[in-house]
Amino acid sequence: MRRTAHRLGVTATVAVLAFTGAGWAVGTASAAPIAPAYACAYYSGNALTVYGDTGPRVQQAQCLLSHWRYLTVSDIDGKFGDHTLHAVRSFQSDHHLTVDGEVGVHTWAALYGT
């Protein structure tokens, strides 16, 4: 359901409370996909990540997928299993990438929004 809403361009505005260094600021933010590269800090490369892999690369991919709303935060476990595979394939299909279920250079770039 979340992916469908994303594909249709549905957005929502929510209140945001953020610490700016000089104090707290209140603003609004869109529920559209955020710039996920700034929120995930498990891994910073673009090495091939595939079904069966474990560790920080997988956590990074899962974190980015959660920001694009293909996974939830509770899905970030560092294990590239069936659920992550389905999310990667859906993301690839929706972003007009080769649907192979592997997080390679092009999929990493798309996940980072570049």
Side-chain angles (χ1 to χ4, degrees):
M1 174 109 169
R2 282 175 263 192
R3 284 193 306 274
T4 302
H6 166 68
R7 278 183 266 164
L8 295 175
V10 174
T11 61
T13 301
V14 295
V16 175
L17 181 63
F19 188 73
T20 64
W24 290 95
V26 177
T28 60
S30 172
I34 62 171
Y38 302 106
C40 303
Y42 298 99
Y43 172 76
S44 62
N46 63 359
L48 182 62
T49 306
V50 298
Y51 185 86
D53 284 350
T54 61
R57 279 194 337 254
V58 177
Q59 287 176 295
Q60 184 70 12
Q62 290 170 329
C63 182
L64 294 167
L65 286 162
S66 77
H67 283 286
W68 285 99
R69 296 178 180 84
Y70 289 85
L71 292 174
T72 65
V73 172
S74 63
D75 293 323
I76 303 170
D77 62 4
K79 300 173 186 171
F80 198 134
D82 293 334
H83 198 59
T84 301
L85 179 63
H86 176 73
V88 169
R89 287 180 174 161
S90 294
F91 178 85
Q92 289 172 328
S93 176
D94 291 347
H95 290 84
H96 310 289
L97 299 166
T98 300
V99 180
D100 58 10
E102 299 178 347
V103 184
V105 174
H106 299 294
T107 301
W108 279 117
L111 284 168
Y112 281 107
T114 60

